[in-house]
């Protein structure tokens, strides 16, 4: 996949038995950037025996926010920083024969607008750790029982289907993304809500 081709990829040995995780994976990483503003994208993946890759969890951190979102601070270029990145919560079972993979990059387009300048990030393998929220031996409370969900309001799309297009102009060295969706929802209090979402 293109994401993998442009990422620093770490893969562990194939698993001998199921490994179940539930919660937020955490990456403690030593990283430096060639620019005062740099991003760090981390993706936890499941690599199947045939080489197919499935995304399990992801995170993206503006490294100027490494210590605080309230008071961001520019990076000293090429200076190593100890950074903690909490990935999105997930529930996943890595099956026997599968590999755990971690992909690290300096951007995650088009999921997030790229940083203002091109930059390179360097990762120090020594001192960097991926911590997985591994589920125990199954001796917990057992399978949960949930009440039936409330009846959802009817929702219909005014378009045959939402549209998400990515155009790659090879000659101009440009990529463009366009997203279109219009949906209507009947409200419990009466009336109808129309939502339009356009992004180019």
């Amino acid at each position: 996949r293109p994401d993998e081709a442009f990422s620093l990829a770490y893969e562990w040995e194939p698993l001998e038995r199921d490994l179940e995780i539930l919660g937020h994976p955490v990456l403690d990483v030593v990283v430096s950037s060639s620019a005062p503003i740099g991003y760090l994208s981390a993706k936890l993946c499941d690599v199947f025996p045939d080489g197919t890759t499935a995304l399990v969890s992801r995170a993206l951190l503006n490294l100027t926010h490494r210590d605080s979102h309230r008071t961001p601070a520019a990076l000293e270029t090429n200076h190593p920083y100890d950074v903690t990145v909490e990935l999105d919560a997930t529930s996943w079972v890595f099956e026997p024969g599968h590999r755990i993979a971690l992909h690290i990059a300096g951007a995650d387009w088009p999921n997030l607008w790229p940083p203002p300048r091109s930059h390179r990030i360097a990762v120090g393998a020594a001192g960097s750790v991926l911590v997985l929220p591994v589920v125990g031996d199954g001796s917990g409370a057992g399978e949960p029982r949930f009440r039936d969900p409330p009846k959802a309001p009817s929702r219909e799309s005014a378009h045959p289907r939402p549209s998400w297009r990515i155009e790659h102009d090879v000659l101009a060295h440009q990529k463009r993304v366009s997203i279109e969706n219009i949906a209507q929802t009947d409200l419990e209090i009466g009336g109808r809500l129309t939502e339009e979402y356009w992004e180019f």
Side-chain angles (χ1 to χ4, degrees):
R1 297 173 188 258
D3 278 1
E4 296 171 309
F6 294 103
S7 297
L8 178 63
Y10 294 94
E11 284 190 10
W12 282 261
E13 291 299 319
L15 294 166
E16 296 181 0
R17 57 182 179 275
D18 284 349
L19 179 69
E20 182 177 0
I21 62 173
L22 176 64
H24 291 272
V26 174
L27 175 63
D28 292 321
V29 63
V30 179
V31 64
S32 61
S33 171
S34 64
I37 300 176
Y39 289 0
L40 180 71
S41 167
K43 295 179 181 176
L44 175 65
C45 298
D46 183 348
V47 182
F48 290 60
D50 66 358
T52 302
T53 303
L55 178 65
V56 176
S57 182
R58 68 178 354 141
L60 193 135
L61 177 66
N62 180 334
L63 290 171
T64 65
H65 292 231
R66 62 196 177 277
D67 297 320
S68 169
H69 292 301
R70 286 177 175 262
T71 55
L75 297 161
E76 181 182 335
T77 56
N78 301 315
H79 174 78
Y81 291 92
D82 294 319
V83 175
T84 297
V85 182
E86 184 179 78
L87 282 69
D88 293 336
T90 187
S91 174
W92 192 269
V93 177
F94 295 93
E95 299 179 356
H98 289 221
R99 295 173 180 261
I100 297 170
L102 175 67
H103 299 155
I104 298 176
D108 190 14
W109 194 91
N111 297 303
L112 190 73
W113 197 255
R117 286 171 40 187
S118 296
H119 69 288
R120 287 179 298 193
I121 59 170
V123 175
S128 297
V129 179
L130 175 65
V131 180
L132 300 179
V134 177
V135 175
D137 59 5
S139 59
E143 186 175 330
R145 294 176 180 255
F146 298 101
R147 294 190 299 268
D148 291 336
K151 184 177 180 183
S154 66
R155 182 180 176 92
E156 59 187 45
S157 174
H159 280 202
R161 57 184 296 182
S163 169
W164 181 324
R165 292 189 307 276
I166 297 176
E167 301 173 5
H168 185 186
D169 188 333
V170 177
L171 296 179
H173 300 288
Q174 294 179 344
K175 285 189 178 181
R176 293 179 292 273
V177 62
S178 63
I179 304 169
E180 306 174 28
N181 188 32
I182 301 176
Q184 296 180 327
T185 304
D186 292 325
L187 303 176
E188 293 181 359
I189 59 173
R192 173 170 277 203
L193 172 68
T194 300
E195 299 172 84
E196 297 187 19
Y197 182 80
W198 309 84
E199 183 175 335
F200 298 96

